[in-house]
Amino acid sequence: MLVFPRWKVALIILTLALGVLFAVPSFLPDRIVSKLPAAMQTRVNLGLDLSGGSHLLLEANPDDVAKQRVENMEEQVRTALRRDQPRIAIGDISRKDGKLSFMVRDNSQVDAAVERLRPLTQGAGMTGQRDFNVEVVDGNTIVITPTQAGIDKAINDSMDVATDVIRKRIDEMGTREPTIIRQGSNRIVVQVPGLQDPKALKDLLGQTAKLEFKLVDYAANPAEVAQGRAPVGSEVLPYPDNRGGPPVIAVKRQVMVSGEDLIDAQQTYEQQSNTPVVSITFNSAGGRKFGRVTSENVNRPFAIILDGKVLSAPNINEPILGGSAQISGNFSVESANQLAIALRSGKLPVALTVVEERTVGPQLGADSIRAGILASAIAAGAVIIFMFLSYGRFGVYANLAVVINIFVILGVMGLLNATLTLPGIAGFVLTIGTAVDANVLIYERIREERRRGRGVVQAVEFGYKEASRTIFEANVTHAIAGGIMLALGSGPVKGFAIVLLIGIATSVFTAVTFTRMLAAHWLRKERPADIKMGIMRIVPDDTNIGFVAIRHWAFGLTALLTVLAVGAVGVKHLNLGVDFVGGLMIEAKFAEAPHLDKVRSSIERLNVGESSLQQFGDPKTVSIRLPVPDQGGAGASNLVVEKVRKAMTAEYPGVVFSRYDTVSGKVSGELIQNGILAVMLAVIGIAIFSWFRYEWQFGVSTFVAIMHDVLMTLGFFAVTQLEFDLNIVAAVLTIVGYSINDKMVIDDRIRENMRKYRKMDMKGLIDLSVNETLPRTVMTSVTVMLALAALLIFGGHVLRGFTAAMMLGIVVGTYSSVYVSSSLLITLGLKPQLTDKKSAKGIAGQGERVTARAADDGAQP
């Protein structure tokens, strides 16, 4: 264990050096990073909550994709049957129930019709199915049915195309480093740093930009058109800007020319009226089609249709040749420019709806960075001092490992092109506290082995060997919680999970392998006769507390607190954030602390729905919650925010809107379901791991203890009415991971002692195990609490609820590990192997009692 050949030392140092090296570009300005080799241009991206900007979650309706496929297939069917020779006459085509069905007039042509239609179908990926089924019903009726495999493939293809189109549109806006990624089967996440007003972005992305030119059906009966009925082969479309005419119009279904034939679109001005228009240019095929149709239909009107609405319906006074045209409508310069961008970048294959929106002001992002850096620095300083006072030289090793670990995490995040969010900074601070846990476990084991009488080298070697097993098992359970956060989490939770998971992997390497190398080098070079730890000792070496004796009192207290917590949640309920209930949340920072009743009255006069106000972090910052507008589409929330902004600015000069979030009811429902599912999966997964790793009693006691911790946290939030949002879900999952980490250390010692003391009474064995691990439990809790205290005081108001939940979780988790889960093993019938009938006298009476040695045994590495 303590033998480190030169190649191994070189490999460890090289690995850590590369990790630190890849972290360096994240601290350099862009102009310097751009000059570095490509392999070194690895930087950690800042999330919108740190850099400021806008976040949109766009959703496509799969039914729209299926409907569009059926419409496209109808056009292909008409073309294949009527234009090819011999022409096959058919009746009207029906789209009932999402299928195409029509009758072939000549029964002798049914087989020929099927032969022409089958090539129109395609394979649906690797499923072995076709995207459409073609079959004959009742002898002369052909039914074309879309398959589920075909629909799934079409949705996937449509979302891929939509992602590319959105990227092109945002690039046209000149924004810097946007993030555009798919989420799930029918959603796209768009994050644009630095964009403080997302209205223009939403307007741009909300346009499908499906441009079509169709002839107006002038023969349609106006009365029937007004009622939404059109002749066969035509359809009724809205015409909102039809000045002096009806708001609807009948147009032919057949498309003259579509936006797919465009090669350019620019915002220009109409020469005579100087009004904004969009000038378009067709490709050669589109120009020929447009010229032919306009030549054949002089003195007839045609409709310019965008996303299913008629923009204008001018008359064809003469053939329009040359492959260019103008789109006129009730445009402003901005709206005409947005349409030009949308047309240039291509049409969206499916309409997208904004279902979640978050905007963070640059000042709040800068404040969050400063607060996070300050909290991290103070947390690191406090932990470094505490570890040095507690473990001396070995504390220095641990501190060096923590500092290197921070840079290695940044380096790995840079290589993965990961994003650092505000909860991610909280993950860093928590990593600082928990990274030393492995070292505390090792050093306390070394102390224990010295008291047992082992020599210096044997104590160090045995301490690392025995502690490494426990460290691995504890971190596996911690990783289970982190993995579930990453899989089911959204936004901030994912950012926290990424830092946590990377930190788990890197901290094990730095805290175990790296510090062991340093310890081996010291032993080999100095050949010390004794190990002197630090001057500070929180838990005395001869601690002998009878935890099991008061287990019934502990169980009673636990049951009482659990009932009170559940009752508090049931009576007072949780103050759920917009993440979980949907709505619009605006964070406003006033120059002076306002009267909430006065602010509420001002908002009520705006008729934007029932408001809920709460001071957030400090008296000057107010959280304003409003319902999401039922109508108005993607821009409705912007209108509400603008109304509130104008009213507050007029009444309270100097007020600043730091951020606002909009979450639809559908998304909020999914988030709360995923949050509950994540917590339950974490609890069950960790309990199953304990069951298989140890005995079934360990799994059950683990489940009970963790549920106790979760319920205590929920009760705390119900009583305090702190906002319960996605960040708190991350906190609860972290509490689960920390609690089981603590419990796993105790369980591992219980299992070890069950093998060692086969005849010991179970009560004495558990007391012995808990007392042996108590120094580690207390030391780890203190280091984590130091880090969290820095985050609570200096980390800013956004993470205050997160930090409060974590601090409560440390206290509750430590209590449940020591007093609940361990003693519960007795109630569940756990017995040591080859149990003797005689009980131990006193606390751990039959255990091996450890005493200090006067001299070293002289063993050397």
Side-chain angles (χ1 to χ4, degrees):
M1 290 287 288
L2 295 179
V3 177
F4 282 83
R6 290 184 177 179
W7 69 265
K8 194 172 184 179
V9 173
L11 183 61
I12 293 172
I13 294 176
L14 178 62
T15 301
L16 295 178
L18 286 175
V20 173
L21 187 63
F22 283 122
V24 171
S26 296
F27 299 94
L28 300 177
D30 294 339
R31 56 184 178 82
I32 296 179
V33 174
S34 61
K35 298 178 182 178
L36 297 175
M40 283 299 300
Q41 294 182 9
T42 56
R43 304 191 68 177
V44 177
N45 300 317
L46 292 181
L48 296 184
D49 50 3
L50 296 178
S51 62
S54 294
H55 161 103
L56 299 177
L57 179 61
L58 307 172
E59 183 181 68
N61 187 346
D63 293 338
D64 291 343
V65 178
K67 181 180 178 182
Q68 183 63 47
R69 291 180 71 242
V70 172
E71 291 179 1
N72 293 341
M73 176 58 74
E74 180 182 354
E75 292 297 324
Q76 295 181 58
V77 168
R78 292 183 184 278
T79 300
L81 298 182
R82 293 185 177 181
R83 292 189 178 179
D84 293 347
Q85 296 299 325
R87 181 172 177 175
I88 299 177
I90 62 174
D92 294 338
I93 298 179
S94 169
R95 297 182 193 168
K96 186 178 180 181
D97 298 329
K99 305 176 183 179
L100 291 179
S101 60
F102 54 90
M103 183 181 66
V104 179
R105 299 188 186 280
D106 186 349
N107 289 349
S108 65
Q109 292 183 310
V110 171
D111 292 339
V114 172
E115 290 300 318
R116 289 191 193 180
L117 297 179
R118 289 198 190 279
L120 300 180
T121 67
Q122 301 175 354
M126 304 296 292
T127 63
Q129 301 181 43
R130 308 297 292 180
D131 57 351
F132 285 89
N133 288 330
V134 180
E135 56 185 344
V136 178
V137 179
D138 297 331
N140 65 343
T141 300
I142 296 178
V143 179
I144 303 176
T145 307
T147 64
Q148 188 59 49
I151 292 174
D152 293 341
K153 182 178 184 300
I155 292 173
N156 184 67
D157 293 343
S158 296
M159 295 308 293
D160 284 341
V161 173
T163 303
D164 292 337
V165 170
I166 288 173
R167 183 173 289 109
K168 290 178 182 177
R169 292 186 183 182
I170 294 178
D171 288 342
E172 289 270 3
M173 294 178 67
T175 54
R176 181 175 173 273
E177 297 181 354
T179 300
I180 302 142
I181 56 175
R182 282 188 58 180
Q183 185 181 88
S185 62
N186 65 325
R187 288 178 177 172
I188 300 174
V189 175
V190 178
Q191 294 182 342
V192 185
L195 183 66
Q196 304 311 316
D197 183 6
K199 181 179 184 302
L201 176 64
K202 288 197 295 183
D203 290 344
L204 179 61
L205 301 185
Q207 288 186 344
T208 309
K210 180 182 179 182
L211 181 66
E212 296 173 318
F213 295 83
K214 297 182 177 181
L215 290 173
V216 174
D217 188 353
Y218 61 88
N221 187 326
E224 292 186 352
V225 172
Q227 296 176 2
R229 297 196 301 270
V232 176
S234 297
E235 60 184 339
V236 177
L237 294 180
Y239 188 3
D241 293 328
N242 187 12
R243 298 176 183 177
V248 292
I249 189 173
V251 298
K252 296 290 187 180
R253 285 189 176 182
Q254 185 175 1
V255 178
M256 296 166 51
V257 185
S258 72
E260 295 175 354
D261 294 313
L262 290 181
I263 57 175
D264 192 24
Q266 298 289 337
Q267 183 269 314
T268 58
Y269 293 92
E270 204 276 328
Q271 293 183 355
Q272 295 181 353
S273 62
N274 201 34
T275 56
V277 294
V278 177
S279 295
I280 57 176
T281 304
F282 295 108
N283 57 24
S284 57
R288 287 195 300 270
K289 287 190 292 185
F290 195 63
R292 184 182 67 251
V293 173
T294 55
S295 298
E296 295 173 352
N297 294 277
V298 174
N299 294 324
R300 291 182 58 185
F302 74 100
I304 303 173
I305 305 164
L306 179 69
D307 295 342
K309 294 181 180 180
V310 177
L311 294 179
S312 61
N315 199 61
I316 304 174
N317 296 321
E318 58 184 10
I320 304 175
L321 308 176
S324 62
Q326 284 186 345
I327 302 175
S328 59
N330 191 19
F331 291 131
S332 64
V333 173
E334 182 181 5
S335 61
N337 187 56
Q338 287 180 353
L339 176 58
I341 292 175
L343 294 176
R344 285 201 303 271
S345 57
K347 75 170 184 178
L348 284 171
V350 61
L352 298 172
T353 305
V354 178
V355 293
E356 182 183 32
E357 176 185 350
R358 303 180 190 275
T359 300
V360 179
Q363 185 60 43
L364 180 59
D367 292 343
S368 298
I369 293 176
R370 285 194 295 269
I373 292 175
L374 179 61
S376 300
I378 293 175
V383 171
I384 285 172
I385 294 173
F386 179 75
M387 290 297 292
F388 176 73
L389 293 176
S390 299
Y391 298 108
R393 171 185 292 276
F394 284 89
V396 173
Y397 296 161
N399 292 332
L400 185 59
V402 169
V403 173
I404 293 177
N405 184 51
I406 292 174
F407 283 97
V408 172
I409 292 175
L410 287 173
V412 174
M413 291 182 68
L415 283 173
L416 297 176
N417 198 31
T419 299
L420 179 63
T421 61
L422 191 55
I425 290 182
F428 262 107
V429 175
L430 187 62
T431 299
I432 293 171
T434 57
V436 299
D437 174 59
N439 293 117
V440 170
L441 193 61
I442 293 168
Y443 300 157
E444 290 299 328
R445 189 69 189 230
I446 292 173
R447 272 182 168 176
E448 186 178 331
E449 296 305 323
R450 285 292 290 157
R451 295 198 306 274
R452 290 182 184 276
R454 295 187 188 275
V456 171
V457 175
Q458 287 182 330
V460 173
E461 183 171 10
F462 198 81
Y464 272 98
K465 178 182 178 181
E466 291 299 312
S468 295
R469 182 188 66 250
T470 307
I471 292 168
F472 169 77
E473 292 171 349
N475 277 285
V476 166
T477 57
H478 216 166
I480 289 174
I484 291 173
M485 274 190 275
L486 188 63
L488 296 178
S490 174
V493 177
K494 282 185 180 290
F496 179 82
I498 289 172
V499 175
L500 184 65
L501 289 172
I502 294 175
I504 289 172
T506 58
S507 63
V508 171
F509 182 75
T510 55
V512 179
T513 306
F514 177 64
T515 61
R516 189 173 68 218
M517 182 188 73
L518 297 178
H521 176 74
W522 172 65
L523 290 174
R524 185 170 56 251
K525 182 179 179 181
E526 300 295 335
R527 298 182 179 272
D530 196 8
I531 297 176
K532 293 182 179 180
M533 294 289 186
I535 61 176
M536 185 171 65
R537 189 70 174 153
I538 298 179
V539 179
D541 292 337
D542 58 351
T543 300
N544 201 8
I545 302 173
F547 295 103
V548 175
I550 61 173
R551 71 182 187 278
H552 296 299
W553 290 98
F555 291 165
L557 177 63
T558 299
L560 176 62
L561 291 176
T562 303
V563 170
L564 291 176
V566 173
V569 174
V571 174
K572 299 194 68 175
H573 305 293
L574 295 173
N575 178 23
L576 297 176
V578 294
D579 293 331
F580 295 136
V581 296
L584 175 63
M585 193 282 287
I586 304 171
E587 182 181 319
K589 192 172 184 63
F590 294 82
E592 299 291 339
H595 293 288
L596 294 186
D597 290 339
K598 186 178 179 182
V599 175
R600 185 178 291 106
S601 298
S602 300
I603 295 175
E604 287 177 353
R605 290 196 295 268
L606 301 176
N607 295 320
V608 291
E610 184 178 354
S611 62
S612 173
L613 276 64
Q614 184 178 9
Q615 289 181 327
F616 191 60
D618 61 76
K620 296 181 181 180
T621 305
V622 177
S623 170
I624 305 170
R625 288 171 56 175
L626 298 165
V628 175
D630 295 330
Q631 299 177 346
S637 296
N638 293 96
L639 295 176
V640 171
V641 173
E642 194 59 29
K643 277 186 177 181
V644 175
R645 189 199 306 270
K646 288 181 179 179
M648 292 296 101
T649 303
E651 194 162 350
Y652 299 94
V655 65
V656 176
F657 283 69
S658 306
R659 68 185 176 114
Y660 75 87
D661 299 345
T662 304
V663 181
S664 70
K666 178 181 180 181
V667 172
S668 64
E670 293 175 0
L671 291 177
I672 197 167
Q673 289 176 4
N674 287 342
I676 295 173
L677 181 62
V679 174
M680 293 307 300
L681 285 179
V683 173
I684 294 172
I686 292 171
I688 291 174
F689 177 82
S690 299
W691 185 331
F692 282 94
R693 185 63 179 168
Y694 304 121
E695 301 288 343
W696 70 266
Q697 290 94 338
F698 288 95
V700 173
S701 67
T702 294
F703 181 83
V704 172
I706 296 177
M707 288 305 299
H708 162 269
D709 300 343
V710 171
L711 291 175
M712 289 298 101
T713 305
L714 294 179
F716 168 78
F717 276 89
V719 171
T720 60
Q721 286 296 291
L722 289 171
E723 187 175 62
F724 195 93
D725 56 14
L726 279 176
N727 289 338
I728 307 304
V729 173
V732 171
L733 287 167
T734 308
I735 290 170
V736 169
Y738 175 84
S739 178
I740 192 59
N741 194 321
D742 195 23
K743 187 180 183 307
M744 197 67 66
V745 172
I746 298 176
D747 286 352
D748 188 73
R749 182 58 64 93
I750 292 174
R751 183 181 62 173
E752 179 184 336
N753 286 335
M754 286 172 64
R755 297 193 186 107
K756 189 182 296 183
Y757 311 118
R758 295 175 182 266
K759 297 184 179 182
M760 181 181 292
D761 174 76
M762 201 64 206
K763 296 178 182 179
L765 190 145
I766 289 178
D767 271 336
L768 173 64
S769 302
V770 175
N771 277 285
E772 285 179 341
T773 56
L774 189 61
R776 174 263 165 200
T777 299
V778 174
M779 291 291 292
T780 298
S781 297
V782 170
T783 55
V784 176
M785 289 293 279
L786 285 173
L788 290 173
L791 191 64
L792 180 68
I793 298 171
F794 303 102
H797 64 275
V798 178
L799 289 177
R800 193 146 293 157
F802 174 93
T803 310
M806 282 299 305
M807 297 185 78
L808 173 72
I810 300 301
V811 176
V812 172
T814 302
Y815 163 79
S816 65
S817 298
V818 173
Y819 285 99
V820 179
S821 64
S822 301
S823 297
L824 188 60
L825 295 172
I826 299 175
T827 305
L828 294 173
L830 182 67
K831 300 183 187 229
Q833 299 176 14
L834 301 177
T835 305
D836 192 83
K837 298 295 183 183
K838 296 181 181 180
S839 298
K841 294 181 181 180
I843 300 170
Q846 300 171 25
E848 175 187 344
R849 302 310 298 159
V850 295
T851 56
R853 293 195 65 222
D856 183 70
D857 61 1
Q860 299 294 339

